[in-house]
């Protein structure tokens, strides 16, 4: 059974950094993509970054460009989201998601991914 487990969230001051991890298990290797999303209270879940596990192509939404970087470790079946210069408005629950067959492009949404983790809370506060 495919499972995604996020970790690395926590409390950080404005301007700080965090690195989130998404560990995948129980899946069939092949062509698939993993994306990072976040959902703040009262808001819709928004896509941040996406990576194609075969080839390593990455895409970032405008809200993530310049501050967030997605990367992968195929040997560990793990995807990371490095977040720098965090701001108060980055406070949210962060989710990773996986889909077979999906290829990251400039535009990706929650509807493109079939499997989701439980999320990890990121709180940016003075």
């Amino acid at each position: 059974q495919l499972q995604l487990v996020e970790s690395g969230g926590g409390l950080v001051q404005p301007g700080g950094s965090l690195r989130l991890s998404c560990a995948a298990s129980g899946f069939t290797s092949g062509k698939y993509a993993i994306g990072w999303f976040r959902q703040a209270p009262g808001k819709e879940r928004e896509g941040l970054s996406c990576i194609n596990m075969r080839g390593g192509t990455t895409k970032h939404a405008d809200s993530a460009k310049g501050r967030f970087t997605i990367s992968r470790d195929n040997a560990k079946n793990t995807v990371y989201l490095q977040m720098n210069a965090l701001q108060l408005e980055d406070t949210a629950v962060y989710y990773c998601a996986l889909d077979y067959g999906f290829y990251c492009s400039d535009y990706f949404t929650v509807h493109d991914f079939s499997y989701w983790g439980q999320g990890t809370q990121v709180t940016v506060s003075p």
Side-chain angles (χ1 to χ4, degrees), residues 8-53:
L11 176 64
V12 63
Q13 293 185 338
S17 298
L18 282 175
R19 189 178 79 156
L20 306 182
S21 299
C22 172
S25 63
F27 66 97
T28 302
S29 61
K31 183 183 295 184
Y32 64 99
I34 288 182
W36 279 102
F37 295 76
R38 69 183 178 188
Q39 188 166 19
K43 295 188 177 181
E44 293 185 354
R45 194 169 297 187
E46 66 166 330
L48 296 171
S49 302
C50 183
I51 187 166
N52 296 306
M53 296 302 283

Side-chain angles (χ1 to χ4, degrees), residues 19-25 27 32 34 36 51-56 58 69-81 98:
R19 189 178 79 156
L20 306 182
S21 299
C22 172
S25 63
F27 66 97
Y32 64 99
I34 288 182
W36 279 102
I51 187 166
N52 296 306
M53 296 302 283
R54 182 180 291 179
T58 63
T69 303
I70 190 170
S71 63
R72 80 197 197 285
D73 185 335
N74 283 44
K76 296 181 179 180
N77 295 325
T78 299
V79 169
Y80 305 97
L81 185 68
L98 181 151

Side-chain angles (χ1 to χ4, degrees), residues 49-126:
S49 302
C50 183
I51 187 166
N52 296 306
M53 296 302 283
R54 182 180 291 179
T57 308
T58 63
K59 295 294 181 182
H60 294 278
D62 288 343
S63 57
K65 287 179 181 177
R67 297 191 300 128
F68 296 177
T69 303
I70 190 170
S71 63
R72 80 197 197 285
D73 185 335
N74 283 44
K76 296 181 179 180
N77 295 325
T78 299
V79 169
Y80 305 97
L81 185 68
Q82 177 68 43
M83 305 188 296
N84 299 324
L86 286 164
Q87 304 164 0
L88 298 178
E89 51 267 34
D90 293 318
T91 295
V93 178
Y94 285 69
Y95 299 89
C96 64
L98 181 151
D99 198 84
Y100 295 108
F102 178 70
Y103 189 82
C104 296
S105 60
D106 289 335
Y107 184 67
F108 55 95
T109 74
V110 297
H111 304 294
D112 294 317
F113 292 85
S114 301
Y115 302 94
W116 292 82
Q118 293 300 307
T120 184
Q121 176 71 45
V122 171
T123 302
V124 184
S125 180

